[in-house]
Amino acid sequence: MAKKGQKFRHYPFSLKMQTVQMRLQGVTKREVAERLGIHDVSRLKVWLRQYKLKGSEGLQDRRGGRKRPLQKDEYVRQLELENDVLK
């Protein structure tokens, strides 16, 4: 759990790919973290798992992305659901 005032590190996609490639070549987590300056060694395990499940797409940062605009029929459906809730 995050602590009050805790700062989270953001790692670029290229660094994540580099760490995954190093891990797949057999370099230990500790060595990879030391070489690339990653503070949280357990983060490497998460990145490797995401890479194995979704490929390079799993390492992309999805935070703060724009929502796609709703199509007309989706918008109408959303309004109908809101009206049903309000009744």
Side-chain angles (χ1 to χ4, degrees), residues 71-85:
Q71 298 297 327
K72 184 177 181 180
D73 56 336
E74 292 173 332
Y75 181 70
V76 169
R77 177 77 178 132
Q78 181 180 5
L79 291 176
E80 289 173 347
L81 289 172
E82 289 176 7
N83 286 339
D84 290 340
V85 170

Side-chain angles (χ1 to χ4, degrees), residues 24-79:
L24 292 175
Q25 293 172 359
V27 181
T28 65
K29 286 186 273 191
R30 185 172 302 245
E31 287 180 34
V32 172
E34 287 175 4
R35 287 185 196 175
L36 300 177
I38 299 170
H39 299 286
D40 185 11
V41 178
S42 63
R43 178 85 344 223
L44 303 178
K45 182 177 167 183
V46 172
W47 291 342
L48 189 62
R49 186 177 343 113
Q50 288 174 341
Y51 181 78
K52 286 181 178 178
L53 288 175
K54 300 177 185 174
S56 61
E57 185 74 20
L59 299 177
Q60 295 287 340
D61 188 10
R62 298 280 176 231
R63 296 176 295 168
R66 288 183 161 209
K67 294 182 180 178
R68 64 177 180 80
L70 293 176
Q71 298 297 327
K72 184 177 181 180
D73 56 336
E74 292 173 332
Y75 181 70
V76 169
R77 177 77 178 132
Q78 181 180 5
L79 291 176

Side-chain angles (χ1 to χ4, degrees), residues 15-33:
L15 182 78
K16 293 176 186 179
M17 279 301 296
Q18 189 177 0
T19 58
V20 167
Q21 295 304 322
M22 290 174 76
R23 286 291 295 140
L24 292 175
Q25 293 172 359
V27 181
T28 65
K29 286 186 273 191
R30 185 172 302 245
E31 287 180 34
V32 172

